[in-house]
């Protein structure tokens, strides 16, 4: 039935001459490339706790999704049924295993987290985030790169991560002294995850002498995603122990510092992977890229924001 659903969408795409395909491709691309900038800016400038909540949900979901995906090792729809023809260049960009959808597991906790933290004061904005979340999940089916169950489970992972982070934040409000314990647990679980995906067996199915999915390539993304569970505890410990910045709000000059900080983040997202992969190999290159970006977002640029704030306060006192 899942394949029939994808074939129905495929026939619809063909009937409208792929008119919606570029839009769906951009929705998908934005979710896994630039969407992270929104909660980062929220964390830096507007509301530290709300931004942190969304980021923690995202890091948790992506780390767990990588373990699930590299355990299930489910092939893409067009491998399971040759009638499925992905739209555009999706067949070259959506490589590897299919279940659960990584795009859904990214969009779920970020769009979902932003919807949660916006709901009390900005219900229209919150509703827009929910709509974008649903469109992102649907885009993966529309493009023919994921079965509906791939998307559904990815979204469920996002919901589970949001609920787990909500419970965790509520608990830590009452027991802040326990935070380091959870940071250590995340760090340890991350390294266990890295060891697991490195040494577990993978299917090695060939068609006409060609390996259907190269597990070594799949491990690249796994290293990058599971690193989120390792990098965040380090960055969070540094920030809460020595930096302890506070967002100044959109009307403060420090809001501009936050906006400027998105430029290096954009450059790192787009240009850091290739040189690191070449220097360290694809597994550890992906890992190191993630580590640098998380450290930058959670601790390093907040340090710049705090130092700028101190300088602005000193200038105002003169």
């Amino acid at each position: 039935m899942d394949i029939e659903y994808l074939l129905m969408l495929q026939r619809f795409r063909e009937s409208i001459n792929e008119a919606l395909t570029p839009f769906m491709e951009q929705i998908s691309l934005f979710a896994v490339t630039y969407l992270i900038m929104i909660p980062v800016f929220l964390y830096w400038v507007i509301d530290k706790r709300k931004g942190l909540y969304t980021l923690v949900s995202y890091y948790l979901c992506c780390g767990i999704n990588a373990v699930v995906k590299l355990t299930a090792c489910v092939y893409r729809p067009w491998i399971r049924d040759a009638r499925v023809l992905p739209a555009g260049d999706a067949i070259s960009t959506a490589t590897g295993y299919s279940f659960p959808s990584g795009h859904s597991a990214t969009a779920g906790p970020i769009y979902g987290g932003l919807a949660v933290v916006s709901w009390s004061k900005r219900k229209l904005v919150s509703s827009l985030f929910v709509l974008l979340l649903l469109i992102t999940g649907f885009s993966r089916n529309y493009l023919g790169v994921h079965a509906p169950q791939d998307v559904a489970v990815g979204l469920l992972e996002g919901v589970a991560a949001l609920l787990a982070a909500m419970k965790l934040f509520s608990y830590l409000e009452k027991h802040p002294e326990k935070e380091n314990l959870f940071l250590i647990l995340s760090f340890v679980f991350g390294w266990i995850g890295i060891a697991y995906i490195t040494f577990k067996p993978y299917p090695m199915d060939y068609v006409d002498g060609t390996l259907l999915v190269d597990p070594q390539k799949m491990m690249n993304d796994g290293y990058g995603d599971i690193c989120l569970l390792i990098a965040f505890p380090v960055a969070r410990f540094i920030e809460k122990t020595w930096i302890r910045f506070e967002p100044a709000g959109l009307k403060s000059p420090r809001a501009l510092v936050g906006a400027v900080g998105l430029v290096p983040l954009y450059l790192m997202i787009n240009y850091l992977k290739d040189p690191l992969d070449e220097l360290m190999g694809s597994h550890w290159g992906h890992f190191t890229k993630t580590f640098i970006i998380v450290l930058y977002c959670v601790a390093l640029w907040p340090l710049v924001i705090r130092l700028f704030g101190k300088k602005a306060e000193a200038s105002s006192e003169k």
Side-chain angles (χ1 to χ4, degrees), residues 19 35 39 42 58 62 66 69 75 94 124 154 166 221 241 244 248 270 302:
L35 177 57
L42 175 66
Y58 163 65
C62 284
K69 177 172 284 193
Y75 291 137
L124 182 60
M166 191 177 296
D221 290 338
T241 303
R244 298 188 295 274
N270 284 284

Side-chain angles (χ1 to χ4, degrees), residues 7 10 13-14 18 78 81-88 91 142-144:
L7 291 174
Q10 183 173 305
R13 290 199 323 259
E14 293 169 350
E18 303 286 352
W78 61 86
D81 192 315
R83 292 177 298 168
V84 177
L85 302 174
I91 197 167
Y142 185 87
L143 295 171

Side-chain angles (χ1 to χ4, degrees), residues 9-10 13 18 20-22 24-25 78 84-94 139-145:
L9 293 176
Q10 183 173 305
R13 290 199 323 259
E18 303 286 352
L20 288 176
T21 295
M24 293 297 184
E25 288 178 324
W78 61 86
V84 177
L85 302 174
D89 63 350
I91 197 167
S92 62
T93 58
S139 73
R140 306 310 289 160
N141 295 151
Y142 185 87
L143 295 171
V145 295

Side-chain angles (χ1 to χ4, degrees), residues 155-220:
L155 294 177
L156 286 174
E157 287 176 331
V159 171
L162 289 167
L163 292 174
M166 191 177 296
K167 293 287 187 182
L168 175 62
F169 273 55
S170 178
Y171 177 80
L172 291 178
E173 278 188 351
K174 301 175 183 177
H175 306 281
E177 74 281 359
K178 300 289 187 180
E179 182 177 353
N180 285 349
L181 173 62
F182 286 96
L183 295 179
I184 292 170
L185 288 174
S186 175
F187 186 83
V188 171
F189 179 79
W191 282 114
I192 292 173
I194 291 290
Y196 170 71
I197 68 168
T198 301
F199 297 109
K200 71 172 291 290
Y202 292 90
M204 302 292 287
D205 298 319
Y206 288 82
V207 173
D208 297 329
T210 301
L211 184 62
L212 287 177
V213 175
D214 184 350
Q216 292 298 317
K217 292 182 179 179
M218 282 305 302
M219 277 190 272
N220 292 340

